[in-house]
Amino acid sequence: MLMNVPTMLKGLSRALIAWLRGHELSQKSLDAKVRFEELRKREALLAEAEQLGRLGSWEHNLVTGEDVWSANLCRMLDIDPTTTKPSEDLFWEILHPDDREAVRTVIEGGMRFAHEYQYQSRFLIPGGRERTFYTWGKPILGADNQVIKRVKAAMTLSAPMIYLAASCR
C-alpha cells in the first residue's frame, strides 16, 4: 500500500526538524565548549599577569554581601581560600590597625561620591609580618545609579618602591 504524499512529507518534515534540532543542539554545545575554552584561557592569562605584576584583585558585592578575591591576592596575603573564606570582615581584620581609619575614610568617600579612589595600606600577614599594598578602587553603579559593588586592584610594594613613593610626595 502506498502512503499518500502529504502524509509522507509530514513524516519527512518531522524527521528533518528533529535532525535539525539535534544538529542545532550539537552546534550550541560546541559553541559553548569553544566559549568556555576561550574564557579559561583569558582567566589563565589574567592570573599570569597578576602574578607577574604582583597584583591582586577583589570585588565586594554590596547587594549580596558576596566577596570574590583573586587567587593571587590570597597568595600575596598568605591566605588559603580553602580554609579561610575571603570576606569584607577579613579585609578589615588583617588591615593594619593604624591604617584602618584612613582607608575607611577613602573608601567611604569613593562610595559616597561614586568615584575612583586609591590608597596605600599595610596588611598583617601570618607570622607577624606586614606587607604594604597600593590599592585602586572603583564603585560600580546599578541601574538606579546606586553603588552596588566595589572592585579593587592592589599591588604589593617593596621597600624601595615605598621609599620612592614617599620621596615623590
Side-chain angles (χ1 to χ4, degrees), residues 40-56:
R40 190 195 64 71
K41 286 179 183 177
R42 287 181 185 155
E43 285 180 350
L45 182 61
L46 176 59
E48 186 67 29
E50 280 193 348
Q51 276 192 292
L52 289 170
R54 298 183 350 211
L55 294 168

Side-chain angles (χ1 to χ4, degrees), residues 1-163:
M1 174 171 199
L2 287 173
M3 191 182 292
N4 67 26
V5 173
T7 304
M8 188 171 72
L9 287 175
K10 190 184 274 186
L12 282 174
S13 90
R14 284 186 186 138
L16 180 58
I17 289 170
W19 180 83
L20 286 172
R21 282 188 180 143
H23 179 71
E24 182 180 312
L25 290 175
S26 295
Q27 187 61 42
K28 284 182 181 178
S29 178
L30 181 60
D31 290 346
K33 286 179 184 176
V34 168
R35 284 193 306 273
F36 178 78
E37 184 60 25
E38 287 173 358
L39 181 60
R40 190 195 64 71
K41 286 179 183 177
R42 287 181 185 155
E43 285 180 350
L45 182 61
L46 176 59
E48 186 67 29
E50 280 193 348
Q51 276 192 292
L52 289 170
R54 298 183 350 211
L55 294 168
S57 57
W58 70 95
E59 173 185 286
H60 176 64
N61 187 315
L62 299 170
V63 177
T64 65
E66 178 186 19
D67 287 283
V68 178
W69 295 18
S70 71
N72 203 50
L73 179 65
C74 291
R75 267 192 295 280
M76 293 186 312
L77 293 169
D78 285 349
I79 293 171
D80 180 357
T82 62
T83 59
T84 304
K85 181 171 174 28
S87 68
E88 182 78 358
D89 289 340
L90 179 61
F91 169 81
W92 292 108
E93 181 183 320
I94 63 175
L95 182 64
H96 194 288
D98 294 342
D99 295 345
R100 288 180 187 151
E101 185 179 337
V103 169
R104 190 178 308 276
T105 300
V106 170
I107 292 173
E108 287 174 355
M111 296 299 105
R112 185 177 316 108
F113 300 109
H115 63 75
E116 295 180 11
Y117 54 90
Q118 45 193 290
Y119 57 85
Q120 182 175 312
S121 61
R122 296 163 293 167
F123 286 86
L124 304 174
I125 307 299
R129 296 173 294 139
E130 287 182 13
R131 189 159 293 150
T132 303
F133 286 80
Y134 194 84
T135 301
W136 297 265
K138 177 181 177 179
I140 305 296
L141 304 178
D144 61 356
N145 269 351
Q146 297 298 310
V147 177
I148 58 170
K149 62 175 79 167
R150 67 177 176 258
V151 294
K152 298 179 189 179
M155 178 175 71
T156 58
L157 299 178
S158 63
M161 293 171 80
I162 294 168
Y163 174 77

